[in-house]
Amino acid sequence: MSNKIISTKDNLQILHEDNHIIVINKRVGDIVQGDKTGDKPLSDIVKEYLKEKYNKPGEVFLGVIHRLDRPTTGVVVFAKTSKALSRLNESFKNRETKKIYWAVVKNTPPKPNDTLVHFLKRNPKNNTSKAYLKEVPDSKRASLEYRIFKKLDNYFGLEIQLHTGRHHQIRSQLNAIGCPIKGDLKYGFDRSNSDGGIHLHARKLEIMHPVTKENLVFVASTPNDVIWNAIIQ
């Protein structure tokens, strides 16, 4: 049974909003920025929300700073001013942000906690990245650390901290150690989730506010489904 909810300007899951930024808990199926599907991106939906809320004439400014894969959920921050956009772009590029993800995987990870380093090579034809243990031509170094924080009958809850931000990094690195993410057909899981999503969630994002310079921490609640609910119990 799918309980998929489509994001609209009226039901956005807003975690924080001030004059310079707006932070959203992204749902399964939301695309952060327009792509070749032509589906309406989350950035446009947030613009509609801002336009209506502040009764703005003309075009609303909204800057996309980072993305989450379409089947993934969790924290996404957008810039409402060009000043915030350039400063946040810089801070993400310099890895001054801290990102914590949660993933639900099948199979026991080799160790209860570990740092994984692979070299990821992207295949634009099928939009995947393959993880290699040694450097190969056109590959990029990818590093993350994980720890098991929950054991269920058939699954494990992992908390992941990213050190690099590569294409499909968590998905391909976890698959490379034999722990595909629940629902992720592209990376080794045997069946899809009913809502077309995968059990990968951007749980927490820590940033410095681009204008006030205060340290901000955003935590996104997990989707309401049986597995996530068991993980957070």
Side-chain angles (χ1 to χ4, degrees):
M1 180 197 89
S2 169
N3 54 358
K4 188 171 178 180
I5 299 168
I6 305 296
S7 288
T8 68
K9 66 177 171 48
D10 302 314
N11 69 2
L12 283 173
Q13 304 182 96
I14 298 166
L15 301 174
H16 172 88
E17 186 189 349
D18 61 43
N19 290 336
H20 294 278
I21 60 174
I22 181 166
V23 185
I24 306 289
N25 185 358
K26 171 185 144 13
R27 293 184 170 95
V28 161
D30 290 342
I31 40 172
V32 174
Q33 200 174 21
D35 67 3
K36 60 179 185 293
T37 60
D39 295 344
K40 184 187 281 188
L42 190 56
S43 53
D44 281 5
I45 295 165
V46 176
K47 277 185 190 175
E48 285 175 0
Y49 158 81
L50 293 171
K51 191 175 174 70
E52 186 173 284
K53 179 176 179 183
Y54 299 104
N55 203 2
K56 287 193 174 213
E59 187 65 10
V60 173
F61 180 89
L62 191 79
V64 176
I65 299 146
H66 64 128
R67 296 169 190 77
L68 292 177
D69 299 339
R70 188 167 193 161
T72 306
T73 53
V75 186
V76 182
V77 59
F78 295 99
K80 288 170 65 178
T81 60
S82 51
K83 186 198 276 186
L85 177 62
S86 60
R87 289 180 183 175
L88 282 169
N89 276 339
E90 199 59 24
S91 132
F92 272 75
K93 198 175 86 189
N94 298 333
R95 307 215 65 80
E96 294 156 0
T97 55
K98 189 175 174 190
K99 299 175 187 169
I100 299 287
Y101 286 79
W102 282 2
V104 177
V105 300
K106 68 169 186 178
N107 304 335
T108 318
K111 298 177 182 169
N113 53 277
D114 200 6
T115 297
L116 304 180
V117 177
H118 290 94
F119 293 87
L120 299 195
K121 183 167 179 171
R122 189 167 178 173
N123 179 348
K125 280 201 183 74
N126 61 6
N127 190 33
T128 57
S129 286
K130 187 164 168 54
Y132 295 89
L133 287 172
K134 295 197 167 76
E135 201 166 353
V136 298
D138 302 324
S139 65
K140 290 180 172 169
R141 185 179 179 280
S143 166
L144 61 78
E145 56 191 274
Y146 75 82
R147 69 175 183 93
I148 300 173
F149 74 95
K150 185 82 178 190
K151 290 181 184 177
L152 302 177
D153 291 343
N154 300 310
Y155 300 106
F156 295 84
L158 305 186
E159 184 170 275
I160 294 146
Q161 189 176 342
L162 278 179
H163 301 153
T164 52
R166 306 296 182 204
H167 175 255
H168 290 182
Q169 177 178 340
I170 297 174
R171 299 165 66 181
S172 60
Q173 285 197 276
L174 290 180
N175 185 34
I177 61 164
C179 298
I181 294 169
K182 183 179 183 306
D184 199 355
L185 293 177
K186 245 182 191 178
Y187 291 97
F189 202 80
D190 47 14
R191 61 186 188 280
S192 58
N193 289 343
S194 62
D195 62 3
I198 62 175
H199 277 71
L200 178 62
H201 180 69
R203 172 67 170 173
K204 191 163 132 187
L205 178 67
E206 203 171 315
I207 63 169
M208 186 169 79
H209 191 284
V211 180
T212 66
K213 304 296 183 215
E214 76 184 290
N215 197 48
L216 299 175
V217 180
F218 308 112
V219 177
S221 56
T222 49
N224 179 20
D225 74 36
V226 173
I227 300 288
W228 279 126
N229 294 345
I231 288 283
I232 53 179
Q233 237 134 58

